[in-house]
C-alpha cells in the first residue's frame, strides 16, 4: 500500500475510531485531504529550478460542521499536513516549510459545503521534512500571498453513490494494459501518469491526469481531462465531454494503448 493510501486510511480511521461519534457531519476529513491536494496542484509557482506550492491552508467550514470538529481539529490538521507533505514529495513539488492547516468558520456556508484558501508564506525558520530553496534562490512570490477561496460541496459523494448504482447496471469494467487486467471501481477510475491515479500509465506521452472512465446512465464512458496528446477510441479522437465505451474498444491515451472490457 502506498504512503498516501495509508495516510488516507488513517485519516478515515479517525472517523470510525476514537473520534467516530464526532463526524456525523457532511464534510469528511478524507474529502478535505483530497481537495487540499487539488488546491496544492492548482497553485504552483514555477521558479528557475523548482516548482513551489502553497504551504499554508485555511479550511472554512459551516457552523454546523465546525461544531462537530471541536476537540479533534489538531489531530485532523496534523494528519492533513502529513498527507500534503507526502503528496508534494511524490510529485516533486517544493515546500518552503511543512504544510500548516487552519480551520475557520464561515456563516455563509451550508452544511456539507467547505472552502479552501491556499497561500505561500516564506519560511521563517527551517523545519524538518520541508524541501529547502536552492542556494541563492527564493520563492518568486511576495510574503503571505493569498489565493482565492475555492468552495466545494459533498454533493460529489452523492454522485459517487449514484455511480455505484449505474455501474451495477452497466456491468463490471476492466482496463487491459500491457496484458494486465485491472478492475475499474464502481465509481470509475482516473487514468494517467501521476501516482495518484487509479490506473497509472508509465508513459511520458501520457498526461499526469489524462482521462477518466465512469459509468453513465447509458453505460460506461471515457472523458479526456484536457490531456496534451488526446484520447482516441478505435482510432478516432474523442471530442469534449463523455464518450461511450463498449466491450472490446481499443483506447489510445497519447501513445499508450489499452483495451476496455465489460465482464
Amino acid at each position: 500500500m502506498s504512503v498516501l493510501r495509508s495516510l488516507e486510511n488513517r485519516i478515515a480511521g479517525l472517523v470510525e475510531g476514537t473520534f467516530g461519534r464526532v463526524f456525523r457531519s457532511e464534510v469528511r476529513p478524507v474529502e478535505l485531504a483530497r481537495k487540499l491536494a487539488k488546491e496544492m496542484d492548482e497553485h504552483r509557482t514555477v521558479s528557475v529550478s523548482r516548482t513551489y506550492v502553497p504551504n499554508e491552508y485555511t479550511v472554512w467550514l459551516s457552523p454546523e460542521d465546525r461544531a462537530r470538529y471541536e476537540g479533534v481539529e489538531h489531530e485532523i490538521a496534523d494528519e492533513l499536513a502529513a498527507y500534503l507533505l507526502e503528496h508534494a514529495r511524490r510529485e516533486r513539488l517544493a515546500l518552503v516549510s511543512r504544510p500548516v492547516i487552519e480551520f475557520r468558520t464561515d456563516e455563509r456556508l451550508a452544511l456539507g459545503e467547505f472552502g479552501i484558501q491556499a497561500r505561500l508564506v516564506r519560511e521563517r525558520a527551517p523545519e524538518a521534512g520541508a524541501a529547502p530553496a536552492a542556494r541563492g534562490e527564493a520563492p518568486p512570490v511576495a510574503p503571505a500571498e493569498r489565493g482565492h477561496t475555492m468552495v466545494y460541496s459533498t454533493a460529489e459523494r452523492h454522485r459517487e453513490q449514484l455511480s455505484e448504482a449505474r455501474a451495477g447496471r452497466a456491468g463490471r469494467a476492466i482496463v487491459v494494459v500491457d496484458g494486465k487486467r485491472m478492475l475499474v471501481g464502481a465509481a470509475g477510475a482516473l487514468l494517467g501518469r501521476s501516482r495518484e491515479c487509479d490506473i497509472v500509465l508509465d508513459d511520458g506521452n501520457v498526461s499526469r491526469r489524462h482521462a477518466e472512465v465512469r459509468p453513465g446512465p447509458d453505460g460506461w464512458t471515457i472523458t479526456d481531462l484536457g490531456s496534451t496528446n488526446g484520447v482516441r477510441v478505435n482510432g478516432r479522437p474523442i471530442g469534449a465531454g463523455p464518450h461511450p465505451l463498449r466491450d472490446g474498444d481499443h483506447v489510445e491515451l497519447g501513445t499508450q494503448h489499452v483495451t476496455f472490457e465489460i465482464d
Side-chain angles (χ1 to χ4, degrees):
M1 180 182 295
S2 71
V3 176
L4 281 176
R5 293 293 185 193
S6 177
L7 285 168
E8 279 194 5
N9 290 342
R10 197 161 70 196
I11 292 170
L14 289 177
V15 179
E16 300 170 357
T18 305
F19 306 111
R21 60 183 177 79
V22 178
F23 293 104
R24 296 172 184 171
S25 160
E26 285 296 322
V27 177
R28 297 176 182 173
V30 168
E31 291 169 323
L32 293 178
R34 292 169 181 167
K35 295 305 182 184
L36 283 164
K38 180 176 184 290
E39 288 299 306
M40 173 179 278
D41 287 339
E42 294 186 354
H43 290 83
R44 303 183 182 200
T45 301
V46 179
S47 184
V48 177
S49 60
R50 289 178 179 269
T51 299
Y52 288 93
V53 289
N55 57 326
E56 292 193 4
Y57 299 82
T58 302
V59 176
W60 300 91
L61 298 172
S62 69
E64 296 88 349
D65 281 313
R66 183 76 188 279
R68 291 170 172 83
Y69 275 59
E70 185 178 357
V72 294
E73 284 187 2
H74 291 302
E75 288 84 352
I76 295 296
D78 286 346
E79 296 288 357
L80 293 175
Y83 184 88
L84 288 180
L85 191 63
E86 177 61 18
H87 177 77
R89 187 188 69 80
R90 286 290 187 93
E91 298 297 324
R92 298 182 180 178
L93 303 171
L95 286 160
V96 297
S97 69
R98 181 182 174 84
V100 175
I101 315 295
E102 179 184 10
F103 288 96
R104 293 188 182 180
T105 304
D106 189 330
E107 302 283 345
R108 297 168 295 179
L109 293 174
L111 183 69
E113 293 180 338
F114 60 96
I116 296 176
Q117 184 180 48
R119 65 174 182 168
L120 197 165
V121 180
R122 288 184 183 175
E123 188 178 22
R124 296 181 180 85
E127 293 191 39
R135 183 181 296 275
E137 179 188 355
V141 297
E145 179 178 312
R146 289 185 179 271
H148 296 292
T149 300
M150 293 299 298
V151 177
Y152 296 95
S153 171
T154 55
E156 181 178 347
R157 187 199 316 149
H158 302 299
R159 287 196 295 271
E160 289 179 355
Q161 293 168 353
L162 177 61
S163 293
E164 291 181 5
R166 288 174 173 173
R169 295 193 298 268
R172 189 174 67 164
I174 295 171
V175 172
V176 183
V177 184
D178 297 330
K180 297 179 180 178
R181 303 175 82 244
M182 288 174 276
L183 181 65
V184 176
L190 191 64
L191 291 80
R193 199 177 70 251
S194 171
R195 298 299 169 187
E196 296 307 298
C197 290
D198 301 293
I199 298 177
V200 179
L201 304 172
D202 191 12
D203 186 324
N205 292 301
V206 173
S207 297
R208 291 180 62 256
R209 295 170 178 264
H210 199 109
E212 186 175 31
V213 174
R214 293 182 69 90
D218 300 315
W220 289 92
T221 64
I222 186 169
T223 303
D224 188 340
L225 300 179
S227 66
T228 301
N229 294 315
V231 177
R232 291 174 176 267
V233 175
N234 299 325
R236 296 185 178 183
I238 68 172
H243 181 88
L245 285 173
R246 302 289 182 260
D247 182 32
D249 277 350
H250 181 72
V251 181
E252 299 171 57
L253 299 97
T255 57
Q256 178 72 58
H257 297 251
V258 306
T259 303
F260 179 80
E261 297 180 355
I262 297 178
D263 191 0

